[in-house]
Amino acid sequence: MAKNLVIVESPAKAKTIEKILGNDFEVKSCFGHIRDLEKDDMGIDIPNNFKPKYIVPEDKEKVVKDLKKLAKETDEVWLATDEDREGEAISWHLCEVLGLDPVNTKRIVFHEITKSAIEKAVRQPRLLDMNMVHAQQARRILDRIVGFELSPVLWRKMSMRNSLSAGRVQSVAVRLIVEREREINAFNSVSTFKVEAWFTGKDISGKNISFKAEGPTKFKTAEDAEKFLQQCVGAAYTVKDIQVKPGKKSPAAPFTTSTLQQEASRKLGYSVSKTMLLAQKLYESGKITYMRTDSVNLSDTALANIQKEINTSFGEKYHQHRKFKNKNESAQEAHEAIRPTYMENHTDDDSDTKRLYDLIWKRTIASQMSDAELEKTIAKIDISTNHEELTASGEVLKFDGFLKVYLESRDEEDVTEEEEDQEGSLPPLTVKQALDLKEMKATERFSRPAPRYTEASLVKKLEELGIGRPSTYAPTITTIQKRNYVEKRDKEGVKREYRILLLKDNQISKNTDSENTGAEKSKLFPTDLGMIVTDFLNQYFDSVMDYGFTAKIEEEFDEIAGGKQVWNKMLNNFYQPFHKAVQDTLENAERVKGERLLGEDKESGKPIVARMGRYGPMIQIGKAEDEEKPRFAKLKATQSIETITMEEAMELFKLPRTLGQFEGSDVVVNIGRFGPYAQHDKQFYSLKKEMDPYTVELDEVGPLIAEKRTAKSERTIKVFEKEKIQILKGPYGPYIKQGLRNFKIPKEKIDTAADLTVEEAKAIIEDVKANPPKKKAPAKKKKA
DNA sequence: CAGTGAGCGAGCTTCCGCTTGACTT
């Protein structure tokens, strides 16, 4: 038995560190937090100065038991959890649970897993920082109070009230999406006219050249643009001036969790959860450093390896030592940046993780490479018939530097229109050179609203606001979608006409062309529920919904950590007004329906409203108290209470439609709980995505019925008619179905499932019934 | 599996931040 027990948070880390420390040390992991607030009664004794009631969650019991045993057997326990607020608290909980005295237990920290860093840490142990622990405790309790007092308010006050939730992080994330959506809906696009001219000529050596130049300004109206083109009729064009300016580009910092999620989204199209899943795999197989980090720091060992790699692969002039600083004040920097563990592994052989690994390798190596050097050329072109001038610009790469391996992509909203017209190189020109105008065009361009958030751009925004942590970005994005506040989907663009004025051969002609606009892919849209909940929370709990709330309380947590404020006093200052708002809201707020009056029914004169019903957004014609029952129709998935028009609403009442007869019985189309479907002979058939229930025709439904029939026969391996037992092929392999129940076939019989006899199948069913498979343990309710 | 829409109210839900597997009809 080793003399020393070192406890870290991550098991992968434990393995690595054990190798470094040698035989006297046994390194174990506690798998993150080992205690949490009890759920009953919020787990907080509020009148008793917010005294927390901690328990060991069921899934951590084994970990705690094992650590207790080891702690007893060893001479000395070293607490080596991460050096941040949460890590300090985990160490304190370990003391509490393992019966260690915080005043003489050794606490060590390191920010990188290297031999020198770990050996240095062991030489300089410190003690637990109780102020830091109290800061974490205040954070934990505040989040519990906000979540567990606000959520029940929603259950009482929303017309749709199944498993709604609110919290310091998630509710603000939804707010961002809701406000962006409204910004887009309220956006009024204005158009301007942009002038471009294409020239031809000859360079000094007599070679033919051609290039593009841009007009003096964007014209506000077609008339202004035409006037300008008119002035250019018959003009001569000469190069008036050429300016050459050097420029440079620098590489981006190495990856943090949030920047990795953003780049993987932009370059590879991964969702944030997919990125984290793949990164976790790479981490567990020892290929990259820890993937949940807010640090851009690289260890000295890593820097040396990167330099070596650059020198051998690209040459010394490509290397430039850089130290990146974190822009984010809320960063706690308990780890390194995300980088390959071994730079000499240029790629990964696993096809699943390869693309992400390549991205991390390139980003890491580029971060220590030289600037790219550019030469920007701007040529002014004189127009003989007026005082305006045209501008041609070009960019030439003189030295590629880091661009040899990697260039960071940008978000849609950060790219300006000028950058969109990508600059190529300009042919060599000379001052006073005469040019021939091939054609000049004034094209109508429309201003665009801010784009909707992607998962990754939302993470970026949250990080900027200091809301959430690397370990919670992905789960938060999942939560707000699971709660149906937000949905990720595509939006089809609409066709829009734009005008073009063309000057060619001294003639001006007018034309229109069309473009697709407003198309979006994998963007976050708020649902009606998300909007209604956000409006409600904004109205009654504006302080928690404020974008600066987290930043403000983080300052206070820092004061607690610095010993300048007492944790339970801070909590009390927050709690008094907050709790009062909760009570006022419960007493006074009306139940929220999100109702919007669309107009009157032409035939009956009854009011038509869009509102939230118990089962989702809908249109209602007439009132509940009318003699005649109101008519109802559910909104389509892409429609919203806020934007639906009267016309679109009336369209919804056209279902159900009877299309005609097939094999002697009616085919009826409707939209149900699981989307559009056709009903025929008591069977249901889901309509294909591209089939619109409002316009679909009979001859399109026939193939659907046939398809389902063959799919069913293909899925069937064997049928025992009399016993009502079927052997079917499912997504997880063959299984047995009797009546409505499914039964798992034991592993050893999976391969020969087709040969099962009715007796064998029966035996399996009896077996499963006798030993039902363990279900996911539902949260155990404790009885006093 | 393809309904519903009023009101009352059992009995349920819920937070954020640390960490990984177990397991799927």
Side-chain angles (χ1 to χ4, degrees), chain A residues 417-435:
Chain A
E417 209 177 298
E418 281 69 31
E419 285 172 319
E420 252 178 26
D421 308 318
Q422 266 195 346
E423 290 188 0
S425 61
L426 211 55
L429 299 169
T430 44
V431 176
K432 289 191 181 159
Q433 174 178 0
L435 299 164

Side-chain angles (χ1 to χ4, degrees), chain A residues 354-368:
Chain A
K354 184 180 184 308
R355 298 219 289 161
L356 193 69
Y357 183 88
D358 290 349
L359 198 65
I360 296 169
W361 189 87
K362 285 178 181 167
R363 173 89 163 209
T364 306
I365 204 134
S367 78
Q368 295 299 318

Side-chain angles (χ1 to χ4, degrees), chain A residues 36-43 53-55 144 782:
Chain A
D36 192 15
L37 296 172
E38 187 180 279
K39 289 212 171 172
D40 299 340
D41 204 19
M42 292 214 302
K53 297 181 224 168
Y54 289 115
I55 51 152
R144 171 55 70 81
K782 259 201 191 163

Side-chain angles (χ1 to χ4, degrees), chain A residues 2 87 89 101 108 117-118 158 221 230 239 298-299 309 330 347 361 366 391 465 563 565 593 663 769:
Chain A
D101 187 353
I108 54 171
I118 287 161
M158 291 292 128
T221 64
Q230 205 60 258
V239 177
L298 296 169
S299 72
E309 197 56 46
S330 64
T347 184
W361 189 87
T391 308
L465 294 167
Q565 199 175 160
K593 286 186 185 166
E663 291 180 358
K769 277 185 182 167

Side-chain angles (χ1 to χ4, degrees), chain A residues 335-346:
Chain A
H335 310 274
E336 273 190 79
I338 303 169
R339 62 162 173 89
T341 331
Y342 306 103
M343 286 313 292
E344 57 270 37
N345 294 343
H346 288 208

Side-chain angles (χ1 to χ4, degrees), chain A residues 250-268:
Chain A
S250 301
F255 279 134
T256 61
T257 303
S258 120
T259 53
L260 177 68
Q261 289 171 347
Q262 289 160 42
E263 271 293 80
S265 163
R266 289 181 295 231
K267 283 204 157 88
L268 311 176

